[in-house]
Amino acid sequence: MRRILIVILIIIAVLGTAIGGAWWYLQRTLAGLPIEQLDYKISSIGYKHVRLAHINVVYLGTHSASEQPSVQEVDWRAHVNAQDLFITWQWQGFRPEVQIIEADVLDVALTDWPQAAESDAPGFDWQQLALPRSWHLPRDLPHRVDIDAFHLSLPCDGGCQYTGQLAFHSENKQRLLSADDPQYTQLTMQLSPHTQFDQLEQLTLRVAYTVENQLPRLLLEIQSPMSFNLTAEQQLNRDRSVHAQGSLFYEPTAQWLVPHLRPWLAEIDTLTQPVSEYIHHRVDAEYEVTARSATRSDTLGEWLGQVDADTSLQVAIERQLSLNLTARGRAQPQADNPTMQLDGEGDVEVSEFMLRRLGEKFSAGVHQQVDSSHLTSEQVMATPSLLLAYWQGPVALDVNFDLNLPWQSNQLEQAAAMNGVIDFNLASAHRPSLVDVGALSLGASGQVELNAGALETVDASVRGVADLTPLNASLAAWNADLGALAYQIDISDYQADPTSPIAMQLRVEGSGTTQVNIFSDMIVSQQPFSIASERSELRLRQANWQIDAVATEDIDVRVPFTFTLDANNSLAIDAETPAILQLGATAVTQPMEASVPNVLVELGQWRLHGNLNDLPSLQFSSQIDVSTPRVDSPLLRPVSWRWLADIAATPLAASPDFRSTGRITNGPGLILRHQLQSDGADVEVDWQLSDIFWLAGNPIAATLPNWPELLQLERGRTRAEGQLRYYGSQEAPTLNLRGQLDMVDVSGVYDTIAFTGLRSQLDINVIDEALMAELVQASVQRVEAGLTLGPGELKASYQGTLNDPLLGQVEIGQNQIAMLNGVLSLRPQRYVLSEPAHTFFIELNQLDIARLLAEYPATDIQGSGLLSGAIPVRWSPQGVFVEQGRINALPPGGQLQYRSERARQMAQSNMAMDIVMRALDDFHYSELQGDVTYAEDGTLLLALLIQGNNPALEHGRPVRLEVTLEEDLPALLASLQLVNQLNEIIQERVQQRLIQRLRN
């Protein structure tokens, strides 16, 4: 019995000692913690356990290294409350080792956010971190932790309350007898922002750590039901290689996490704003990394300094984007600056939905005002993002990279120090269509060079093809076809430095029958923005081209130019080298055809300038030189032509303004100066024909094949000027033409008529369809037409229409000409040209008979006296004739002397003839009358009645003579011209006429 009592006392003593030791250890441990206001209640306690009904404590947060911080060192506090807390342990000698921690409720309330520490201590050198020799978790960690109800309160605005569960489990920990024994550890925590645990808006964190065969494997999983799941797994292999893989699942509904992350991460809105704006569908991502090191060093920096790694990444955003990336990393060990050489390739495919979202964002609402089926190139040029807003089909991007990354303390610093090159290629199977251009194919490729994490240089090429179907359809009527237009923009040595210029080169080439080539070397300045080109050229070639009734062939256009464009969109295009256009042209208009076999057009010192924000205000100016060796036309002789002018225009204005000042010349010497101005609807033209000096030649006859062959101008000068006014802007368009032709001291020959001293002013006016011409003043000094006439004056006017210019009315004014010391005049009268015949009344006034007989080729009759009369000359398509013409001698009459030797011989055998001859030997007449008739065949019939006497015959007995004279008037005039010895041209023409009449 005594022995039993001793044993019991010993047991009690041991238990008391253990309990006391445990109590002492607990008190000592609690005293060493940074806590205050400790309050607890023990429900039960044992050799290996303790149960607390509750425990309340305030944890003191500090950045101080001391175990017991002072009040001044504390910068945040956490109130911790546990209900029904149960703790068990195992004794390891005299040191307890916690095995299980269980609690029904655990409340943690953070009253203040931790503040960033301010310390001058050097940063943590992660490269010197030694790899552990054993990967097992320390024994101090409990075997199991279970919190049935976990409540977390954070000091955010309005308070943040979270509800959840927490569980920690480490298998085989209690049986670790050797380093080779496996260890399985898992931490699971669930949190919800609702007081009642919500099954959808909750976040589960699971960390599984396994050590097997002394090699660790870590699995991290963060999950929110139906919206978010992140899995990351890492495995260390026996050959010191590391294999890591993971996956991500994300739904836009996971945005509920953002407000709860905001207190922890101030930049969360900046980071998630692009996600919420552009990602609207499920995201799936996977990655895999295998890393090997050539060293067995236990230092992390040395291990990474010789590591090789293979990486792959796949990201898929449903209906938006897919990404595949493969990379190989090789460490470059260097004593002072170890680096990682990273090379690989990847591809990205951006969906139509994503592109449209980008386009809608950057178009700033403009896309809502545009019909996608009628998108034009002008709209795209004004808002380029519209092309994305209405994109169809995905865009693929392929990249190859070779990068060098210096080891830094974090990934951001590492990216900031990155060097290397990235090659890329962008392509799309979709061909966006513009109603005025057609389908476009787009692509780009190039190389990006990085230096210290910053963009250093870019070499890129943007290329594509425009099929120009709508434009080619509109050009088909002109027999033109640009075909598909291939374009390429090359960017050379682009530097991120805003002060460095960018070299660009543009090439455009057409594949149709109309060959188009555009080349331009450009320099783009970034600050301030500007584009300048010192060498650009447009080349266009076309075998044949049809524009309405005008057909052209062998068109060759070459336009070298330079241009500048500044930040204000001010554009200036000009060239020192002339733009050249060569072609041949044929115009077919019934019933005529005209062709120009070779036309050369040069635009010298041309300039186009203005602001692209106001395209209608763009102004064009140039010196134009158009020349051709000849024009083949029935209306023109094949002579050379040239147009030289200064031109200016606003070609893109709603009412284009055009101005031209210059001259048109040709080989024979015509010079036509002009001043033209037009606003698109109204046209005003002034023109002046330079003086033509006929002594130097006849440039008009050398130009116009329809110049009257019988008209030859030999002396004097002629000039002309005029105006054209067309007002198409009026409600009823009007056309006004005015011309004035002046002839000064002109001498020449028409047919067999010679004239000198011709002066005239002819005014021509056209008002709409009305045609008016007026011979304001005309005079001639001398006319030789068998008889000598002059000086004379002529006035006349004409009124008609442009539709029937030869069917108007002619009004003859006071017209007269001196003839035979008298006057021949044309009675004023109005003539309607549409009538079949016209009668002209010619009046003779005081013609000198002596002068008339002197002009007559016969020499055996003389006389004196004055004649007057009226001769009606009738003209019809059948010819000219005279009926009932009358002449008479003016009082007191005159004298006739006819002394012909032949007539005397006839009178010797004829008594009556003898009386007549004696009477006419010196006949004094008091009355002379005559009827004049002229037939269409040229026969002039003159029936004369003469009354008078011969004082020497029978004491002046009265004598009445009736004489009828018949004469071929054209032949008579011709003989008079031959006798009067006019110029050689008239003599030759007269002789030819006489020979022709004799043959007929």
Side-chain angles (χ1 to χ4, degrees):
M1 186 69 179
R2 182 180 179 182
R3 291 180 179 179
I4 294 174
L5 181 59
I6 293 173
V7 170
I8 292 173
L9 290 174
I10 293 173
I11 292 173
I12 292 173
V14 171
L15 290 174
T17 302
I19 293 172
W23 178 259
W24 171 83
Y25 179 80
L26 177 63
Q27 290 294 329
R28 182 175 178 272
T29 301
L30 292 174
L33 296 176
I35 60 176
E36 65 180 10
Q37 301 180 19
L38 176 63
D39 177 37
Y40 59 89
K41 181 181 179 181
I42 300 176
S43 297
S44 65
I45 188 170
Y47 176 65
K48 293 184 178 180
H49 76 277
V50 64
R51 182 180 293 275
L52 303 176
H54 72 270
I55 181 171
N56 298 316
V57 68
V58 177
Y59 183 84
L60 304 178
T62 178
H63 292 285
S64 172
S66 62
E67 295 183 357
Q68 290 294 330
S70 64
V71 176
Q72 291 79 9
E73 293 175 332
V74 174
D75 60 5
W76 59 278
R77 287 176 171 84
H79 292 265
V80 181
N81 173 264
Q83 303 291 328
D84 193 13
L85 178 64
F86 178 71
I87 304 174
T88 68
W89 60 82
Q90 292 287 341
W91 291 98
Q92 298 294 330
F94 292 99
R95 181 175 178 272
E97 192 174 280
V98 178
Q99 294 293 303
I100 298 173
I101 299 176
E102 294 178 347
D104 286 347
V105 179
L106 176 63
D107 293 330
V108 178
L110 192 65
T111 59
D112 302 290
W113 289 108
Q115 302 297 318
E118 295 182 2
S119 175
D120 296 331
F124 172 68
D125 188 0
W126 59 272
Q127 297 190 51
Q128 299 301 321
L129 179 65
L131 299 178
R133 295 186 179 276
S134 173
W135 292 96
H136 291 96
L137 294 176
R139 292 175 177 268
D140 293 341
L141 291 176
H143 167 65
R144 180 165 58 87
V145 177
D146 289 315
I147 307 298
D148 293 338
F150 176 65
H151 302 288
L152 177 63
S153 178
L154 300 176
C156 53
D157 293 340
C160 298
Q161 304 292 330
Y162 299 93
T163 302
Q165 297 175 340
L166 188 146
F168 174 82
H169 181 65
S170 180
E171 296 182 1
N172 300 334
K173 179 177 179 295
Q174 70 276 19
R175 298 196 303 269
L176 288 178
L177 302 178
S178 68
D180 295 333
D181 288 340
Q183 182 183 39
Y184 306 100
T185 304
Q186 179 172 296
L187 171 66
T188 303
M189 182 175 65
Q190 292 178 302
L191 284 178
S192 174
H194 303 280
T195 55
Q196 298 296 328
F197 197 70
D198 192 289
Q199 296 299 316
L200 292 179
E201 289 193 358
Q202 63 171 275
L203 190 67
T204 300
L205 170 65
R206 187 170 71 91
V207 180
Y209 181 73
T210 302
V211 179
E212 190 171 1
N213 297 325
Q214 301 185 27
L215 298 175
R217 182 171 69 89
L218 177 65
L219 174 65
L220 172 66
E221 183 176 8
I222 303 175
Q223 180 184 18
S224 178
M226 307 294 293
S227 62
F228 183 82
N229 186 74
L230 173 64
T231 301
E233 181 179 359
Q234 293 188 156
Q235 171 73 52
L236 179 62
N237 300 316
R238 193 168 296 277
D239 60 356
R240 290 291 181 107
S241 66
V242 175
H243 180 263
Q245 61 184 14
S247 63
L248 170 68
F249 158 72
Y250 167 85
E251 284 280 2
T253 54
Q255 285 291 314
W256 70 268
L257 289 168
V258 174
H260 306 289
L261 294 175
R262 192 174 292 120
W264 302 90
L265 186 61
E267 300 83 2
I268 186 65
D269 291 323
T270 303
L271 296 174
T272 59
Q273 189 270 339
V275 175
S276 61
E277 183 172 0
Y278 296 111
I279 298 181
H280 302 275
H281 299 90
R282 171 173 172 162
V283 179
D284 290 286
E286 294 182 355
Y287 75 90
E288 184 175 1
V289 179
T290 301
R292 298 167 297 275
S293 179
T295 180
R296 305 290 294 182
S297 174
D298 291 335
T299 302
L300 181 60
E302 294 181 359
W303 187 88
L304 291 174
Q306 299 189 43
V307 73
D308 289 344
D310 294 326
T311 304
S312 65
L313 173 66
Q314 296 84 38
V315 178
I317 304 176
E318 184 179 359
R319 294 177 56 192
Q320 292 187 240
L321 180 143
S322 67
L323 180 146
N324 294 282
L325 183 67
T326 301
R328 295 166 295 278
R330 298 177 302 280
Q332 304 293 323
Q334 297 179 17
D336 298 331
N337 187 22
T339 61
M340 170 68 74
Q341 193 70 28
L342 188 66
D343 66 86
E345 59 277 338
D347 61 82
V348 181
E349 185 175 281
V350 183
S351 70
E352 169 188 333
F353 174 83
M354 190 68 174
L355 293 170
R356 290 194 170 193
R357 290 289 296 175
L358 291 171
E360 292 170 2
K361 173 179 175 59
F362 294 117
S363 64
V366 177
H367 70 283
Q368 299 176 356
Q369 308 170 16
V370 177
D371 185 354
S372 62
S373 62
H374 292 83
L375 196 61
T376 66
S377 58
E378 182 178 356
Q379 293 169 333
V380 171
M381 290 180 65
T383 311
S385 55
L386 281 176
L387 208 57
L388 292 179
Y390 295 107
W391 197 273
Q392 295 179 353
V395 171
L397 173 65
D398 296 328
V399 296
N400 289 274
F401 52 88
D402 189 353
L403 305 173
N404 187 279
L405 292 79
W407 292 117
Q408 301 292 340
S409 59
N410 60 61
Q411 291 181 342
L412 292 178
E413 293 180 359
Q414 189 170 359
M418 179 169 51
N419 302 310
V421 295
I422 301 175
D423 296 321
F424 65 89
N425 184 68
L426 181 70
S428 173
H430 171 60
R431 295 164 62 89
S433 182
L434 306 178
V435 294
D436 56 341
V437 174
L440 297 172
S441 67
L442 301 173
S445 61
Q447 184 179 87
V448 177
E449 184 173 349
L450 304 175
N451 184 16
L455 185 66
E456 183 171 72
T457 61
V458 175
D459 293 325
S461 176
V462 179
R463 61 193 177 278
V465 176
D467 69 8
L468 302 183
T469 300
L471 182 58
N472 287 327
S474 63
L475 295 176
W478 296 355
N479 198 32
D481 181 11
L482 297 176
L485 208 63
Y487 61 90
Q488 181 171 328
I489 302 175
D490 296 326
I491 302 174
S492 303
D493 198 25
Y494 164 75
Q495 299 181 14
D497 181 2
T499 62
S500 298
I502 305 172
M504 300 179 64
Q505 188 178 87
L506 170 67
R507 295 179 182 273
V508 178
E509 183 174 352
S511 61
T513 56
T514 304
Q515 301 176 31
V516 177
N517 297 87
I518 301 175
F519 170 83
S520 180
D521 279 337
M522 297 172 286
I523 299 296
V524 180
S525 298
Q526 302 179 69
Q527 290 186 355
F529 172 80
S530 67
I531 303 177
S533 172
E534 295 296 332
R535 188 167 68 99
S536 300
E537 183 175 280
L538 165 66
R539 189 74 182 267
L540 186 147
R541 283 168 288 185
Q542 171 83 22
N544 53 74
W545 205 342
Q546 184 77 36
I547 306 176
D548 296 330
V550 178
T552 61
E553 59 183 12
D554 299 330
I555 301 174
D556 191 350
V557 181
R558 187 171 64 87
V559 185
F561 61 94
T562 63
F563 71 88
T564 58
L565 176 67
D566 64 17
N568 297 321
N569 282 337
S570 294
L571 174 69
I573 306 177
D574 50 24
E576 295 181 358
T577 304
I580 296 177
L581 164 64
Q582 289 182 303
L583 56 84
T586 301
V588 179
T589 56
Q590 298 299 331
M592 295 181 301
E593 176 177 333
S595 65
V596 186
N598 187 14
V599 178
L600 177 63
V601 180
E602 292 189 9
L603 294 177
Q605 300 181 7
W606 65 273
R607 178 178 174 82
L608 178 68
H609 63 96
N611 195 287
L612 294 182
N613 297 329
D614 186 12
L615 291 178
S617 68
L618 287 179
Q619 298 184 15
F620 176 81
S621 61
S622 177
Q623 295 177 351
I624 188 170
D625 184 351
V626 182
S627 60
T628 178
R630 74 176 192 275
V631 176
D632 297 329
S633 168
L635 300 179
L636 296 172
R637 296 188 186 277
V639 298
S640 63
W641 289 87
R642 189 176 188 184
W643 176 39
L644 292 168
D646 292 329
I647 60 176
T650 55
L652 301 182
S655 298
D657 179 64
F658 179 79
R659 299 177 301 279
S660 172
T661 301
R663 65 183 186 273
I664 299 174
T665 62
N666 68 356
L670 281 179
I671 302 176
L672 180 67
R673 303 182 186 277
H674 71 276
Q675 302 83 39
L676 181 150
Q677 182 171 345
S678 171
D679 62 0
D682 300 338
V683 180
E684 296 183 356
V685 180
D686 294 337
W687 58 269
Q688 305 86 32
L689 181 66
S690 296
D691 288 359
I692 299 175
F693 295 91
W694 300 109
L695 182 62
N698 189 341
I700 299 179
T703 301
L704 304 177
N706 293 331
W707 175 270
E709 184 179 357
L710 300 178
L711 176 61
Q712 180 172 336
L713 303 179
E714 299 173 341
R715 291 183 179 275
R717 60 187 176 89
T718 300
R719 63 181 302 273
E721 64 180 13
Q723 296 177 340
L724 180 149
R725 301 289 186 266
Y726 175 77
Y727 301 105
S729 60
Q730 300 179 359
E731 183 175 352
T734 60
L735 173 66
N736 295 337
L737 293 174
R738 186 192 70 81
Q740 178 178 319
L741 175 66
D742 295 327
M743 304 186 75
V744 180
D745 295 333
V746 176
S747 300
V749 175
Y750 178 74
D751 196 4
T752 59
I753 300 174
F755 57 88
T756 59
L758 176 62
R759 288 175 171 265
S760 69
Q761 176 182 327
L762 175 64
D763 292 343
I764 300 175
N765 290 277
V766 175
I767 301 177
D768 294 333
E769 294 296 325
L771 172 61
M772 293 164 286
E774 182 178 6
L775 194 60
V776 178
Q777 55 183 9
S779 64
V780 63
Q781 195 65 30
R782 183 182 180 89
V783 177
E784 297 286 351
L787 296 176
T788 301
L789 296 84
E793 295 181 354
L794 175 64
K795 291 183 179 180
S797 63
Y798 170 82
Q799 292 185 352
T801 64
L802 289 178
N803 292 332
D804 297 304
L806 300 181
L807 299 180
Q809 297 181 3
V810 176
E811 185 172 352
I812 302 297
Q814 292 292 337
N815 303 289
Q816 61 184 19
I817 188 170
M819 184 178 76
L820 303 177
N821 296 335
V823 176
L824 184 149
S825 61
L826 186 63
R827 183 184 302 172
Q829 189 172 345
R830 182 184 297 271
Y831 299 94
V832 179
L833 299 185
S834 59
E835 295 179 354
H838 306 281
T839 301
F840 301 91
F841 293 94
I842 299 177
E843 295 182 351
L844 308 178
N845 187 18
Q846 298 184 5
L847 301 187
D848 189 346
I849 295 177
R851 178 72 181 274
L852 172 63
L853 295 177
E855 296 284 349
Y856 197 73
T859 58
D860 45 9
I861 185 171
Q862 295 179 352
S864 63
L866 299 177
L867 286 177
S868 294
I871 301 176
V873 179
R874 188 168 182 78
W875 175 90
S876 71
Q878 290 74 31
V880 178
F881 59 93
V882 176
E883 291 181 349
Q884 300 179 356
R886 296 286 297 174
I887 61 172
N888 59 279
L890 298 181
Q895 182 178 5
L896 294 175
Q897 294 178 342
Y898 180 65
R899 297 168 182 172
S900 170
E901 185 63 31
R902 183 181 176 185
R904 287 181 183 277
Q905 293 178 358
M906 292 175 60
Q908 293 177 1
S909 59
N910 188 326
M911 183 179 296
M913 177 63 70
D914 180 63
I915 295 174
V916 171
M917 290 303 301
R918 283 190 298 150
L920 293 178
D921 183 69
D922 185 15
F923 190 75
H924 295 256
Y925 65 90
S926 59
E927 181 179 352
L928 188 153
Q929 298 179 358
D931 294 330
V932 180
T933 302
Y934 181 75
E936 297 172 1
D937 60 359
T939 300
L940 175 65
L941 187 64
L942 182 60
L944 297 176
L945 172 62
I946 306 174
Q947 296 187 69
N949 60 75
N950 186 340
L953 178 65
E954 299 179 0
H955 305 286
R957 188 182 71 172
V959 177
R960 176 186 176 94
L961 296 176
E962 293 184 3
V963 180
T964 299
L965 299 177
E966 181 176 339
E967 187 70 64
D968 186 340
L969 185 58
L972 174 62
L973 294 176
S975 63
L976 290 176
Q977 291 171 323
L978 291 177
V979 170
N980 293 333
Q981 297 182 351
L982 298 178
N983 62 45
E984 296 180 358
I985 296 177
I986 295 179
Q987 290 184 11
E988 183 179 349
R989 290 175 180 174
V990 169
Q991 291 173 355
Q992 290 177 350
R993 299 277 177 84
L994 292 175
I995 294 173
Q996 186 67 29
R997 291 178 66 86
L998 292 174
R999 289 178 178 177
N1000 294 335

